[in-house]
Amino acid sequence: GFLPLQGHVVRNWKVRWFVLLQDKLLYYKIEGGKKESSPKGRILLDGCTITCPCLEYENRPLLIKLKTKTNTDYFLECCSREERDSWALDITGAIHAGHPVQVQELHRMKNSFKLLENISLHDIVERMYDSSTGIKLTRNLDQGNRYKETFTGSALVDWLISNNFAVSRFEAVTLASMLMDENFIRPVGVRSTEATRSSDPSEKFLDDSTALYMFAESSKKNTSSKEEVQFNISELSGTIVKQGFLVKQGHKRKNWKVRKFVLRADPAFLHYYDPTKEENKPVGGFSLRGCLVSALEDNGVPAGVKGNVQGNLFKIITKNDIHYYIQASSKAERVQWIEAIKPLT
């Protein structure tokens, strides 16, 4: 699948097509909409160590870090916590292929706690913000530094349990860690920040009255139109139905670029992001109301499609008659996207 990868020499981010084998992770360049025949590079997994979640980049909370036995660091970014954990589990299984007991233990740990199906992290954060029943924000002092609007680790654990989001302190700590992984909250101060560097996932969030945390709000840029801000917030406020990397043809240059697509409902919008950019805001998007979505045959290139196309194409036509041509990585993935989009049109 597609994953953004940080370069070794020039520390920029490039999207590559990754293929996991038994002893190595290959990555390919996408040129003109088609995967190149030979790999751009490879990561040898023998002696490799994996860090997941990796919190070395504050604005990229869904990273996996691989360190080879020659001390080369690779940073891979996923588009959701579920995708990140799935990749990490499969890569770890390949690293420890000769040790099945370790792989079974990893599966057990991964499935030991699951968020209740009728509760989303977004719902929890909205409740945390509530002025009357939410988490109480206070000023706190840490090693001479004064922090405004913070809360302690133990206060958040108490709040999660008292609001029935967790039944034990272990579950509450796990849930708080998920909120931090998804960049809803962030550590402040020495104690909580140091804990995030722990190799043990259960120790990166502290149930402690001296560990400080705060809401990790995205930076807001001033705009001249209040109505424009409200519109952007509105269309980005829907429930995320599906997200993933797809290849999209540009409208002007007709070149193909990998984009991270996010499908939302209520309101129904499809946004796409440039995964090589640091700022997490859409580079495009459109309402799905009145759209038509359909698969395109792979035998021959349809009119309006340029370049050396890999296949698995589908097309979305908006109510304003704008045509979007998109490639999935497989026929099955194309079907999944079409089935997810159709009910929202």
Side-chain angles (χ1 to χ4, degrees):
F2 291 112
L3 295 172
L5 169 72
Q6 188 187 63
H8 295 303
V9 182
V10 180
R11 292 291 183 177
N12 58 350
W13 293 84
K14 298 288 186 183
V15 179
R16 298 291 181 246
W17 174 261
F18 280 83
V19 177
L20 177 61
L21 303 180
Q22 186 174 4
D23 59 346
K24 64 179 74 74
L25 189 59
L26 305 178
Y27 53 93
Y28 296 79
K29 186 178 179 180
I30 301 295
E31 195 68 51
K34 187 173 183 179
K35 182 187 75 175
E36 291 187 338
S37 58
S38 57
K40 182 77 174 176
R42 66 192 68 213
I43 304 172
L44 300 179
L45 298 178
D46 180 36
C48 211
T49 58
I50 182 170
T51 303
C52 178
C54 171
L55 302 176
E56 293 192 21
Y57 292 87
E58 183 179 348
N59 56 346
R60 291 182 179 267
L62 299 174
L63 287 180
I64 297 171
K65 178 182 178 180
L66 294 174
K67 181 184 282 290
T68 68
K69 64 180 180 181
T70 58
N71 289 323
T72 303
D73 292 340
Y74 293 87
F75 293 92
L76 288 65
E77 185 179 35
C78 299
C79 65
S80 68
R81 183 179 184 274
E82 292 75 19
E83 183 188 49
R84 182 199 64 191
D85 292 348
S86 177
W87 269 104
L89 190 71
D90 290 339
I91 292 171
T92 305
I95 293 173
H96 300 296
H99 305 279
V101 175
Q102 291 186 21
V103 177
Q104 290 176 5
E105 179 65 13
L106 286 164
H107 279 280
R108 187 194 67 77
M109 289 175 59
K110 179 172 181 284
N111 297 320
S112 61
F113 175 81
K114 289 187 179 298
L115 188 63
L116 296 176
E117 291 183 0
N118 61 335
I119 297 177
S120 73
L121 295 180
H122 290 276
D123 293 335
I124 294 174
V125 173
E126 284 186 6
R127 289 274 295 277
M128 288 175 67
Y129 271 110
D130 190 279
S131 57
S132 58
T133 61
I135 188 83
K136 301 303 179 186
L137 303 178
T138 59
R139 291 185 178 185
N140 286 284
L141 193 67
D142 181 86
Q143 295 197 0
N145 296 316
R146 192 175 299 277
Y147 298 96
K148 296 180 180 180
E149 297 185 330
T150 59
F151 46 88
T152 66
S154 57
L156 179 54
V157 170
D158 291 341
W159 185 89
L160 290 169
I161 294 173
S162 64
N163 283 272
N164 299 317
F165 291 117
V167 297
S168 68
R169 301 196 79 80
F170 168 76
E171 287 190 3
V173 168
T174 306
L175 190 51
S177 298
M178 293 168 67
L179 291 170
M180 194 162 60
D181 289 347
E182 297 297 331
N183 208 30
F184 288 114
I185 63 173
R186 66 180 181 89
V188 291
V190 175
R191 183 161 170 74
S192 56
T193 304
E194 287 291 332
T196 62
R197 301 190 178 98
S198 172
S199 58
D200 185 352
S202 65
E203 295 178 0
K204 66 181 182 293
F205 179 88
L206 298 177
D207 180 6
D208 193 293
S209 60
T210 63
L212 302 181
Y213 299 88
M214 68 187 304
F215 290 112
E217 294 182 347
S218 302
S219 60
K220 298 179 178 64
K221 295 186 177 180
N222 293 328
T223 58
S224 57
S225 170
K226 186 176 180 182
E227 289 76 15
E228 182 182 348
V229 174
Q230 291 174 342
F231 172 74
N232 289 336
I233 292 174
S234 173
E235 70 178 58
L236 293 170
S237 66
T239 303
I240 295 178
V241 176
K242 186 174 178 60
Q243 57 185 333
F245 297 108
L246 298 166
V247 189
K248 173 188 168 294
Q249 181 180 259
H251 291 303
K252 296 180 180 179
R253 296 178 59 190
K254 303 298 182 184
N255 56 345
W256 292 89
K257 296 288 186 181
V258 177
R259 294 290 180 251
K260 173 187 171 182
F261 280 79
V262 179
L263 177 63
R264 292 181 173 91
D266 300 321
F269 273 83
L270 184 62
H271 293 97
Y272 49 93
Y273 300 72
D274 186 344
T276 67
K277 303 297 183 184
E278 292 293 336
E279 54 186 13
N280 186 31
K281 66 177 185 179
V283 295
F286 50 91
S287 170
L288 291 172
R289 295 302 179 192
C291 284
L292 297 174
V293 57
S294 60
L296 297 176
E297 295 300 327
D298 294 336
N299 52 345
V301 179
V305 175
K306 307 293 183 182
N308 191 8
V309 179
Q310 183 86 19
N312 307 312
L313 280 167
F314 63 98
K315 178 171 68 172
I316 301 175
I317 305 175
T318 70
K319 64 180 180 181
N320 298 326
D321 200 34
I322 299 174
H323 293 226
Y324 290 86
Y325 295 98
I326 302 170
Q327 291 185 66
S329 59
S330 66
K331 284 184 170 60
E333 186 182 47
R334 177 174 66 178
V335 169
Q336 291 170 7
W337 273 99
I338 291 174
E339 290 182 347
I341 291 170
K342 273 187 175 179
L344 302 178
T345 60

